[in-house]
């Protein structure tokens, strides 16, 4: 049986803190801290790269920049999860509510921008001649702003009662819980999971089918000219298929457990400590996003080299050819 102690020894109404072996606690702290640091660092590199180099100021890269900004904040949000590893929330009831709202906003915004990225790729592949007129930097900025506004508004509506009376569901001092009734569970499942997943899968499947058909047409056209080129096209098909598969599978792996826990068909309370695993897995997608969406781009690898060698500080570096 695990030894327990009070979160606030001076208060009789304090919650109990689970006392784990030191090795377990250190391991958990190290893993979460590493994921948080990696998430912040990778997304910061994307933010600096796209913001600094003018050649990267395209509509698609603006979406990647917006995704990196939301995922950057997710990395900081994970630091708060470290505070509740032992089951104690030490920052007060209001900060508990704000923590849940902040997590809600940045993660839902990240999902929304992923949907915008899938739409961007759909238009680029399926309607290439109309892409430059349909997808502009101005429209991207408007859509991203709407993502943030809608996410903030939705989170405030969902947790308005918790904002009015912070900590009203706490059974003891040092607890951090929020209400999560069946209506909110169902709305979260529809708005943050079912609709985005459906849109992303449908659009990516369409993109994949069109890309493969185009590649086959190109291969048939050049088969008599260059066998080597034909092999290259085939390899690009496999690479494209693998990348799209990774995007979908990783996204599902990261967010499915969270919604499996929150959607149970009955009123529940989501405890910050007990839900830490699914929240960490949910948030870890923000660490993988820059790897999936940016790390495979040559310009990203080149920008990393320029950043770490401090070439980015030279006058006129923003005009560097990155493509």
């Amino acid at each position: 049986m695990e030894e327990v102690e009070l979160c606030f020894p001076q208060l009789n109404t304090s919650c109990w803190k689970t006392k784990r072996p030191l090795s377990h606690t250190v391991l958990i702290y190290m893993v979460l801290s590493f994921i948080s640091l990696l998430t912040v660092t990778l997304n910061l590199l994307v933010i600096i790269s796209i913001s600094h180099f003018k050649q990267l100021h395209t509509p698609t890269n603006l979406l990647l920049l917006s995704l990196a900004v939301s995922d950057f904040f997710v990395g900081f949000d994970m630091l708060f999860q470290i505070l509740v590893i032992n089951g104690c929330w030490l920052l007060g009831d209001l900060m508990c509510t704000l923590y849940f709202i902040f997590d809600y906003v940045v993660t839902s915004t990240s999902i929304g921008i992923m949907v915008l990225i899938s739409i961007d790729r759909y238009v680029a592949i399926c309607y290439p001649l109309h892409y430059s007129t349909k997808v502009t930097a101005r429209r991207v900025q408007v859509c991203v702003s709407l993502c943030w506004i809608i996410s903030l508004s939705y989170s405030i509506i969902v947790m308005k009662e918790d904002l009015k009376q912070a900590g009203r569901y706490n059974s003891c001092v040092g607890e951090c819980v929020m209400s999560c009734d069946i209506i909110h569970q169902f709305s979260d499942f529809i708005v943050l999971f079912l609709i985005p997943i459906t849109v992303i899968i449908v659009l990516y499947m369409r993109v994949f089918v069109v890309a493969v058909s185009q590649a086959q047409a190109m291969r048939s056209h050049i088969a008599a000219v260059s066998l080597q080129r034909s092999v290259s096209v085939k390899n690009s098909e496999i690479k494209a298929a693998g990348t799209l598969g990774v995007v979908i599978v990783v996204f599902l792996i990261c967010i499915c457990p969270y919604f499996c826990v929150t959607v149970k068909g009955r009123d529940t309370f989501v405890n910050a400590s007990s839900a830490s695993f699914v929240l960490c897995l949910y948030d870890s997608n923000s660490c993988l996003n820059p790897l999936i969406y940016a790390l495979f781009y040559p310009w990203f690898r080149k920008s990393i080299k320029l950043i770490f060698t401090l070439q980015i500080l030279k006058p006129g570096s923003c005009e560097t050819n990155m493509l």
Side-chain angles (χ1 to χ4, degrees), residues 81-103:
Q81 295 179 22
I82 298 176
L83 297 178
V84 295
I85 291 301
N86 290 326
C88 295
W89 181 262
L90 309 178
L91 302 180
D93 295 334
L94 180 59
M95 282 298 296
C96 170
T97 302
L98 294 177
Y99 157 70
F100 276 115
I101 291 178
F102 182 73
D103 182 75

mmCIF file of all heavy atoms in Angstrom, residues 81-103:
data_model
loop_
_atom_site.group_PDB
_atom_site.id
_atom_site.type_symbol
_atom_site.label_atom_id
_atom_site.label_comp_id
_atom_site.label_asym_id
_atom_site.label_seq_id
_atom_site.Cartn_x
_atom_site.Cartn_y
_atom_site.Cartn_z
ATOM 1 N N GLN A 81 0.884 20.301 -16.127
ATOM 2 C CA GLN A 81 0.571 18.909 -15.825
ATOM 3 C C GLN A 81 1.622 18.304 -14.904
ATOM 4 O O GLN A 81 1.321 17.406 -14.116
ATOM 5 C CB GLN A 81 0.470 18.116 -17.126
ATOM 6 C CG GLN A 81 -0.684 18.555 -18.013
ATOM 7 C CD GLN A 81 -0.744 17.776 -19.314
ATOM 8 O OE1 GLN A 81 -0.217 16.675 -19.397
ATOM 9 N NE2 GLN A 81 -1.373 18.360 -20.317
ATOM 10 N N ILE A 82 2.836 18.802 -14.987
ATOM 11 C CA ILE A 82 3.893 18.330 -14.101
ATOM 12 C C ILE A 82 3.559 18.672 -12.649
ATOM 13 O O ILE A 82 3.896 17.936 -11.720
ATOM 14 C CB ILE A 82 5.252 18.937 -14.506
ATOM 15 C CG1 ILE A 82 5.629 18.493 -15.922
ATOM 16 C CG2 ILE A 82 6.347 18.542 -13.525
ATOM 17 C CD1 ILE A 82 6.904 19.117 -16.452
ATOM 18 N N LEU A 83 2.844 19.808 -12.455
ATOM 19 C CA LEU A 83 2.515 20.252 -11.108
ATOM 20 C C LEU A 83 1.514 19.334 -10.413
ATOM 21 O O LEU A 83 1.403 19.364 -9.189
ATOM 22 C CB LEU A 83 1.937 21.678 -11.152
ATOM 23 C CG LEU A 83 2.874 22.778 -11.672
ATOM 24 C CD1 LEU A 83 2.146 24.109 -11.709
ATOM 25 C CD2 LEU A 83 4.122 22.879 -10.803
ATOM 26 N N VAL A 84 0.766 18.536 -11.188
ATOM 27 C CA VAL A 84 -0.276 17.705 -10.574
ATOM 28 C C VAL A 84 0.077 16.222 -10.585
ATOM 29 O O VAL A 84 -0.787 15.366 -10.405
ATOM 30 C CB VAL A 84 -1.632 17.923 -11.288
ATOM 31 C CG1 VAL A 84 -2.112 19.331 -11.088
ATOM 32 C CG2 VAL A 84 -1.532 17.593 -12.764
ATOM 33 N N ILE A 85 1.350 15.914 -10.805
ATOM 34 C CA ILE A 85 1.776 14.517 -10.840
ATOM 35 C C ILE A 85 1.456 13.810 -9.527
ATOM 36 O O ILE A 85 1.033 12.659 -9.502
ATOM 37 C CB ILE A 85 3.287 14.418 -11.137
ATOM 38 C CG1 ILE A 85 3.566 14.852 -12.574
ATOM 39 C CG2 ILE A 85 3.783 13.008 -10.906
ATOM 40 C CD1 ILE A 85 2.849 14.025 -13.613
ATOM 41 N N ASN A 86 1.647 14.500 -8.414
ATOM 42 C CA ASN A 86 1.398 13.891 -7.109
ATOM 43 C C ASN A 86 -0.016 14.129 -6.599
ATOM 44 O O ASN A 86 -0.307 13.891 -5.431
ATOM 45 C CB ASN A 86 2.406 14.425 -6.074
ATOM 46 C CG ASN A 86 3.812 13.910 -6.340
ATOM 47 O OD1 ASN A 86 3.981 12.787 -6.805
ATOM 48 N ND2 ASN A 86 4.809 14.719 -6.060
ATOM 49 N N GLY A 87 -0.898 14.603 -7.487
ATOM 50 C CA GLY A 87 -2.299 14.760 -7.098
ATOM 51 C C GLY A 87 -2.602 16.041 -6.368
ATOM 52 O O GLY A 87 -3.692 16.161 -5.789
ATOM 53 N N CYS A 88 -1.708 17.010 -6.374
ATOM 54 C CA CYS A 88 -1.925 18.264 -5.657
ATOM 55 C C CYS A 88 -1.845 19.454 -6.611
ATOM 56 O O CYS A 88 -0.870 19.599 -7.357
ATOM 57 C CB CYS A 88 -0.885 18.446 -4.548
ATOM 58 S SG CYS A 88 -0.989 17.215 -3.235
ATOM 59 N N TRP A 89 -2.866 20.300 -6.570
ATOM 60 C CA TRP A 89 -2.866 21.549 -7.337
ATOM 61 C C TRP A 89 -2.604 22.684 -6.358
ATOM 62 O O TRP A 89 -3.407 22.940 -5.465
ATOM 63 C CB TRP A 89 -4.201 21.747 -8.052
ATOM 64 C CG TRP A 89 -4.250 23.002 -8.868
ATOM 65 C CD1 TRP A 89 -4.796 24.193 -8.504
ATOM 66 C CD2 TRP A 89 -3.709 23.193 -10.181
ATOM 67 N NE1 TRP A 89 -4.639 25.126 -9.500
ATOM 68 C CE2 TRP A 89 -3.972 24.529 -10.553
ATOM 69 C CE3 TRP A 89 -3.037 22.369 -11.075
ATOM 70 C CZ2 TRP A 89 -3.579 25.054 -11.788
ATOM 71 C CZ3 TRP A 89 -2.644 22.894 -12.300
ATOM 72 C CH2 TRP A 89 -2.917 24.223 -12.636
ATOM 73 N N LEU A 90 -1.484 23.369 -6.533
ATOM 74 C CA LEU A 90 -1.034 24.353 -5.555
ATOM 75 C C LEU A 90 -1.266 25.792 -5.984
ATOM 76 O O LEU A 90 -0.883 26.715 -5.264
ATOM 77 C CB LEU A 90 0.467 24.155 -5.280
ATOM 78 C CG LEU A 90 0.912 22.723 -4.920
ATOM 79 C CD1 LEU A 90 2.421 22.674 -4.737
ATOM 80 C CD2 LEU A 90 0.199 22.246 -3.663
ATOM 81 N N LEU A 91 -1.905 26.016 -7.136
ATOM 82 C CA LEU A 91 -2.029 27.367 -7.693
ATOM 83 C C LEU A 91 -3.399 28.003 -7.483
ATOM 84 O O LEU A 91 -3.647 29.097 -7.992
ATOM 85 C CB LEU A 91 -1.704 27.341 -9.193
ATOM 86 C CG LEU A 91 -0.322 26.803 -9.559
ATOM 87 C CD1 LEU A 91 -0.121 26.823 -11.066
ATOM 88 C CD2 LEU A 91 0.770 27.615 -8.869
ATOM 89 N N GLY A 92 -4.292 27.356 -6.768
ATOM 90 C CA GLY A 92 -5.593 27.964 -6.492
ATOM 91 C C GLY A 92 -6.675 27.541 -7.473
ATOM 92 O O GLY A 92 -6.400 27.048 -8.567
ATOM 93 N N ASP A 93 -7.927 27.783 -7.085
ATOM 94 C CA ASP A 93 -9.074 27.333 -7.871
ATOM 95 C C ASP A 93 -9.205 28.084 -9.201
ATOM 96 O O ASP A 93 -9.525 27.486 -10.227
ATOM 97 C CB ASP A 93 -10.362 27.499 -7.059
ATOM 98 C CG ASP A 93 -10.383 26.600 -5.827
ATOM 99 O OD1 ASP A 93 -9.699 25.559 -5.856
ATOM 100 O OD2 ASP A 93 -11.069 26.942 -4.842
ATOM 101 N N LEU A 94 -8.987 29.403 -9.190
ATOM 102 C CA LEU A 94 -9.123 30.178 -10.424
ATOM 103 C C LEU A 94 -8.091 29.748 -11.460
ATOM 104 O O LEU A 94 -8.416 29.593 -12.659
ATOM 105 C CB LEU A 94 -8.986 31.671 -10.127
ATOM 106 C CG LEU A 94 -9.109 32.603 -11.345
ATOM 107 C CD1 LEU A 94 -10.464 32.418 -12.023
ATOM 108 C CD2 LEU A 94 -8.907 34.056 -10.930
ATOM 109 N N MET A 95 -6.864 29.544 -11.024
ATOM 110 C CA MET A 95 -5.812 29.109 -11.940
ATOM 111 C C MET A 95 -6.109 27.713 -12.493
ATOM 112 O O MET A 95 -5.760 27.407 -13.633
ATOM 113 C CB MET A 95 -4.453 29.112 -11.242
ATOM 114 C CG MET A 95 -3.825 30.489 -11.110
ATOM 115 S SD MET A 95 -3.491 31.239 -12.738
ATOM 116 C CE MET A 95 -2.291 30.092 -13.398
ATOM 117 N N CYS A 96 -6.784 26.896 -11.698
ATOM 118 C CA CYS A 96 -7.182 25.562 -12.151
ATOM 119 C C CYS A 96 -8.133 25.683 -13.341
ATOM 120 O O CYS A 96 -7.962 25.018 -14.365
ATOM 121 C CB CYS A 96 -7.837 24.787 -11.012
ATOM 122 S SG CYS A 96 -8.621 23.241 -11.528
ATOM 123 N N THR A 97 -9.130 26.549 -13.203
ATOM 124 C CA THR A 97 -10.094 26.759 -14.282
ATOM 125 C C THR A 97 -9.414 27.344 -15.511
ATOM 126 O O THR A 97 -9.667 26.913 -16.642
ATOM 127 C CB THR A 97 -11.224 27.693 -13.822
ATOM 128 O OG1 THR A 97 -11.864 27.128 -12.664
ATOM 129 C CG2 THR A 97 -12.252 27.881 -14.922
ATOM 130 N N LEU A 98 -8.552 28.331 -15.298
ATOM 131 C CA LEU A 98 -7.837 28.946 -16.419
ATOM 132 C C LEU A 98 -6.913 27.945 -17.108
ATOM 133 O O LEU A 98 -6.727 28.007 -18.331
ATOM 134 C CB LEU A 98 -7.029 30.151 -15.925
ATOM 135 C CG LEU A 98 -7.855 31.340 -15.407
ATOM 136 C CD1 LEU A 98 -6.927 32.437 -14.887
ATOM 137 C CD2 LEU A 98 -8.768 31.883 -16.499
ATOM 138 N N TYR A 99 -6.364 27.033 -16.328
ATOM 139 C CA TYR A 99 -5.505 25.986 -16.898
ATOM 140 C C TYR A 99 -6.291 25.112 -17.870
ATOM 141 O O TYR A 99 -5.840 24.833 -18.986
ATOM 142 C CB TYR A 99 -4.918 25.133 -15.775
ATOM 143 C CG TYR A 99 -4.487 23.749 -16.194
ATOM 144 C CD1 TYR A 99 -3.375 23.554 -17.003
ATOM 145 C CD2 TYR A 99 -5.208 22.625 -15.768
ATOM 146 C CE1 TYR A 99 -2.985 22.279 -17.386
ATOM 147 C CE2 TYR A 99 -4.826 21.356 -16.147
ATOM 148 C CZ TYR A 99 -3.720 21.185 -16.954
ATOM 149 O OH TYR A 99 -3.343 19.931 -17.332
ATOM 150 N N PHE A 100 -7.484 24.694 -17.452
ATOM 151 C CA PHE A 100 -8.316 23.872 -18.328
ATOM 152 C C PHE A 100 -8.736 24.648 -19.577
ATOM 153 O O PHE A 100 -8.759 24.106 -20.688
ATOM 154 C CB PHE A 100 -9.556 23.377 -17.580
ATOM 155 C CG PHE A 100 -9.311 22.139 -16.770
ATOM 156 C CD1 PHE A 100 -9.400 22.172 -15.381
ATOM 157 C CD2 PHE A 100 -8.997 20.945 -17.388
ATOM 158 C CE1 PHE A 100 -9.189 21.027 -14.629
ATOM 159 C CE2 PHE A 100 -8.777 19.792 -16.643
ATOM 160 C CZ PHE A 100 -8.870 19.833 -15.257
ATOM 161 N N ILE A 101 -9.080 25.923 -19.411
ATOM 162 C CA ILE A 101 -9.484 26.740 -20.551
ATOM 163 C C ILE A 101 -8.324 26.911 -21.521
ATOM 164 O O ILE A 101 -8.487 26.790 -22.751
ATOM 165 C CB ILE A 101 -10.002 28.122 -20.088
ATOM 166 C CG1 ILE A 101 -11.331 27.967 -19.345
ATOM 167 C CG2 ILE A 101 -10.169 29.064 -21.269
ATOM 168 C CD1 ILE A 101 -11.888 29.276 -18.807
ATOM 169 N N PHE A 102 -7.145 27.207 -20.984
ATOM 170 C CA PHE A 102 -5.958 27.393 -21.821
ATOM 171 C C PHE A 102 -5.661 26.125 -22.613
ATOM 172 O O PHE A 102 -5.394 26.175 -23.826
ATOM 173 C CB PHE A 102 -4.772 27.771 -20.937
ATOM 174 C CG PHE A 102 -3.501 28.023 -21.696
ATOM 175 C CD1 PHE A 102 -3.347 29.171 -22.456
ATOM 176 C CD2 PHE A 102 -2.446 27.119 -21.639
ATOM 177 C CE1 PHE A 102 -2.177 29.412 -23.156
ATOM 178 C CE2 PHE A 102 -1.276 27.351 -22.334
ATOM 179 C CZ PHE A 102 -1.140 28.506 -23.091
ATOM 180 N N ASP A 103 -5.719 24.982 -21.929
ATOM 181 C CA ASP A 103 -5.477 23.712 -22.602
ATOM 182 C C ASP A 103 -6.519 23.471 -23.682
ATOM 183 O O ASP A 103 -6.203 23.003 -24.783
ATOM 184 C CB ASP A 103 -5.494 22.567 -21.583
ATOM 185 C CG ASP A 103 -5.189 21.227 -22.220
ATOM 186 O OD1 ASP A 103 -4.008 20.984 -22.540
ATOM 187 O OD2 ASP A 103 -6.123 20.424 -22.412
#
